[in-house]
Amino acid sequence: MTIRPLCIALFAALAVPSFVAAQAQHAHVHGQAFVDVAVDAGVVEINLRATAQDLVGFERAAATPEEEAQVLAARKAVLDHARLWQFNAAARCVAEGPVLEVPGAGEAHDHDHDHEGHDDHVAHSDWTVRYRFRCAAPEALRAIDSGMFAVFPSLQSATVQVLDATGAREETLTASANRLTLAQ
Ligand SMILES: [Zn+2]
């Protein structure tokens, strides 16, 4: 796993919705996403957090119409759950509304915090997206394939916290290993 050592900043102090509180201590690392996957009684909840740098291409507020279009395109892309998360068909999982939340997404908020040695950034911004699916045949649920590396090519890896029938564990996904195998 390659982690580019640029621009690491802790986001502990951000005012984020409570459901991402558990992720708030994660470092802000360009190229790396943090994903929580919880499977319980046929319901799959996925929280995705990634930097605006990886999703949008920049982290400051959009300054031009072109940049505003980039933000809108990124917002559309993160909401495209069918491209980002694919379940094995037998499980018959469908997105459940309100499926997705993009708390504070879109505009890179300007945060005031330490940035050690990366003058190219005036601010860092993370996007967090929550997805929820219900599976009609949960006993058949075996795997989730993620399209996030195809949709957001600057993402290099994702640290995934999985909570399923066998308990909690951490896995790493990459473009060449983008399948999350689930336990029954
Ligand atoms: Zn950054």
Side-chain angles (χ1 to χ4, degrees):
M1 183 172 72
T2 309
I3 298 176
R4 285 175 292 178
L6 44 137
C7 118
I8 294 173
L10 287 177
F11 268 65
L14 289 191
V16 289
S18 57
F19 66 81
V20 292
Q23 298 187 324
Q25 300 298 325
H26 284 308
H28 170 97
V29 183
H30 293 178
Q32 186 175 9
F34 294 93
V35 181
D36 290 335
V37 176
V39 182
D40 185 35
V43 174
V44 180
E45 290 191 323
I46 301 175
N47 285 351
L48 165 67
R49 187 168 69 78
T51 72
Q53 182 68 41
D54 291 310
L55 302 183
V56 184
F58 55 87
E59 300 198 329
R60 53 192 164 63
T64 66
E66 290 74 20
E67 289 182 348
E68 284 168 16
Q70 266 180 274
V71 171
L72 285 176
R75 181 187 270 267
K76 194 173 171 189
V78 295
L79 292 174
D80 188 355
H81 60 82
R83 262 197 95 190
L84 291 176
W85 311 110
Q86 291 131 25
F87 300 82
N88 63 295
R92 291 188 284 137
C93 301
V94 294
E96 190 175 69
V99 185
L100 314 171
E101 301 167 21
V102 189
E107 297 61 50
H109 7 231
D110 292 319
H111 297 298
D112 224 27
H113 52 80
D114 295 337
H115 12 258
E116 301 161 22
H118 41 272
D119 298 336
D120 52 329
H121 278 69
V122 290
H124 293 281
S125 174
D126 284 351
W127 284 21
T128 302
V129 191
R130 184 182 201 187
Y131 311 84
R132 185 182 169 92
F133 303 87
R134 186 174 290 277
C135 305
E139 70 283 355
L141 184 56
R142 295 289 181 271
I144 307 172
D145 288 344
S146 179
M148 67 181 141
F149 302 103
V151 175
F152 302 108
S154 82
L155 277 180
Q156 297 183 333
S157 70
T159 300
V160 186
Q161 303 289 339
V162 187
L163 187 61
D164 64 11
T166 58
R169 66 185 183 279
E170 180 176 300
E171 299 205 6
T172 300
L173 297 182
T174 65
S176 57
N178 65 347
R179 170 165 293 181
L180 190 66
T181 302
L182 298 170
Q184 287 298 308

